[in-house]
């Protein structure tokens, strides 16, 4: 889509036209994305990010946007960005076309499950237990199990203060489960915001009452114990253990084979194979050494 084609909807002035295929944040950017920039401290991130195709910004910053990127200006870039997102989500097929839901003949669906009539795909041998709710765009892979009371594809917690109001941001993406995934009872997985999917890789297992927020990507064969809370845009590698009642802050990256101890509060990236413990979480041996020093 060209910037010029949506100028009227977002009330922006295009200075340098260019095409984009996605919307995103400066620090969490899909390829060929439109982002917004309200402060000069983000200019270095934009300059170094090859995924950025177009920028909504102020007139004062427009000349500092790299020449290969499209530029549009407005007095309120952040507000214009979300207004454009709402327009694209509600009035266009920018984030994907609607299709009838498709359920494989060998899938087992309980009669009390609530499944949207559009944009749901359930693969062969999948099991959907009582009182499961599937909303938005949800894809469930072969042999995956969604146990009683879980909800997939609901809107996440994304509200913005715009123009003196608190505005709920439309979630235009979906949820994708790989093959052999299992969600135990009363899990909640929110769909992503700017298209794409909140994704769980093959053979990953979630215990009861796990929350996975919008845009998170979880790798293969992960084990996530009860009451864990994983915030938005988290990236988790393969073979990760996340202990009961752990909390993972937004945009954290957790490497392959990492281990998050029971009750840990993770606010920084965790390296592959690293084990972290505590609030705020630190390397496990360092945490034990600190405990010994206090005793």
């Amino acid at each position: 889509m060209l910037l010029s084609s949506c100028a009227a909807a977002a009330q922006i002035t295009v200075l340098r036209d260019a095409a984009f295929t996605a919307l995103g944040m400066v620090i969490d950017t899909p390829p060929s994305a439109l982002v917004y920039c309200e402060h000069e401290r983000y200019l270095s991130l934009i300059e170094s990010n090859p995924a950025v195709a177009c920028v909504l910004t102020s007139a004062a910053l427009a000349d500092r946007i790299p020449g290969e990127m499209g530029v549009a200006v407005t007095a309120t870039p952040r507000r214009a960005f979300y207004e454009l997102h709402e327009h694209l989500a509600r009035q266009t097929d920018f984030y994907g076309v609607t299709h009838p839901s498709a359920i494989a003949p060998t899938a087992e669906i309980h009669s009390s499950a609530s499944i949207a009539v559009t944009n749901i795909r359930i693969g062969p041998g999948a099991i959907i237990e009582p009182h499961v709710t599937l909303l938005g765009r949800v894809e469930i892979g072969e042999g995956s199990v969604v146990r009683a009371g879980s909800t997939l594809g609901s809107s996440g917690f994304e509200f913005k203060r715009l123009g003196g109001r608190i505005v709920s941001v439309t979630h235009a993406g979906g949820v994708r489960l790989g093959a052999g995934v299992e969600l135990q009872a009363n899990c909640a997985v929110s769909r992503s915001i700017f298209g794409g999917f909140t994704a769980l890789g093959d053979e990953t297992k979630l215990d009861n009452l796990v929350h996975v927020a919008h845009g998170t990507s979880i790798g293969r064969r992960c084990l996530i114990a009860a009451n864990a809370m994983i915030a938005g845009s988290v990236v988790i590698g393969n073979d990760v253990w996340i202990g009961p009642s752990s909390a993972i802050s937004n945009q954290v990256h957790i490497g392959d084979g990492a281990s998050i101890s029971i009750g840990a509060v993770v606010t920084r990236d965790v390296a592959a194979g690293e084990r972290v413990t505590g609030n705020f979480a630190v390397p496990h041996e360092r945490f034990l050494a600190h405990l010994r020093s206090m005793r």
Side-chain angles (χ1 to χ4, degrees):
M1 175 173 286
L2 289 171
L3 270 177
S4 56
S5 68
C6 53
Q11 299 181 29
I12 57 177
T13 300
V14 177
L15 302 183
R16 191 162 60 235
D17 206 7
F20 61 94
T21 59
L23 271 65
M25 300 291 101
V26 171
I27 57 176
D28 180 32
T29 319
S32 191
L34 169 68
V35 304
Y36 73 90
C37 179
E38 285 195 320
H39 197 283
E40 63 181 2
R41 66 176 175 268
Y42 296 113
L43 289 171
S44 61
L45 294 174
I46 289 173
E47 291 168 358
S48 62
N49 189 345
V52 175
C54 299
V55 183
L56 294 182
T57 190
S58 63
L61 297 176
D63 291 342
R64 301 174 64 180
I65 303 300
E68 67 274 15
M69 298 176 185
V71 181
V73 297
T74 171
T76 55
R78 182 170 175 268
R79 180 174 178 176
F81 176 85
Y82 284 104
E83 288 177 347
L84 176 57
H85 165 66
E86 293 297 319
H87 168 74
L88 295 174
R90 295 174 181 273
Q91 300 184 40
T92 77
D93 61 2
F94 179 80
Y95 290 116
V97 298
T98 297
H99 57 78
S101 293
I103 300 173
T106 56
E108 298 179 22
I109 314 294
H110 193 273
S111 60
S112 67
S114 178
I115 298 174
V117 297
T118 59
N119 296 328
I120 306 294
R121 295 188 185 276
I122 300 175
I127 297 173
I128 308 298
E129 287 196 341
H131 306 294
V132 166
T133 300
L134 305 182
L135 302 167
R137 300 178 184 274
V138 176
E139 299 180 4
I140 297 177
E142 182 175 359
S144 288
V145 179
V146 184
R147 300 213 179 274
S150 292
T151 298
L152 281 69
S154 59
S155 292
F157 190 79
E158 189 73 4
F159 300 92
K160 300 296 179 184
R161 297 183 186 273
L162 301 173
R165 299 171 52 238
I166 296 179
V167 177
S168 176
V169 178
T170 296
H171 286 59
V175 171
R176 175 180 286 156
L177 308 187
V181 173
E182 181 165 333
L183 277 63
Q184 296 191 329
N186 297 307
C187 291
V189 183
S190 301
R191 63 183 182 262
S192 57
I193 299 174
F194 302 116
F197 292 88
T198 303
L200 281 67
D202 295 350
E203 298 184 70
T204 282
K205 316 295 185 185
L206 274 57
D207 196 356
N208 300 329
L209 298 166
V210 170
H211 170 73
V212 180
H214 47 230
T216 282
S217 175
I218 301 174
R220 300 185 298 276
R221 301 177 301 276
C222 294
L223 297 173
I224 302 176
N227 293 311
M229 189 289 297
I230 302 170
S233 301
V234 170
V235 177
I236 298 173
N238 301 322
D239 302 299
V240 171
W241 164 261
I242 296 178
S245 298
S246 298
I248 316 297
S249 186
N250 64 308
Q251 298 177 342
V252 164
H253 287 218
I254 298 175
D256 293 348
S259 180
I260 312 299
S261 295
I262 182 171
V265 177
V266 180
T267 60
R268 63 168 183 84
D269 291 354
V270 179
E274 185 177 16
R275 184 183 183 190
V276 297
T277 304
N279 182 0
F280 295 124
V282 297
H284 184 68
E285 294 302 322
R286 180 177 160 195
F287 181 82
L288 294 180
H290 176 65
L291 287 181
R292 286 193 291 268
S293 72
M294 291 191 297
R295 291 171 182 168

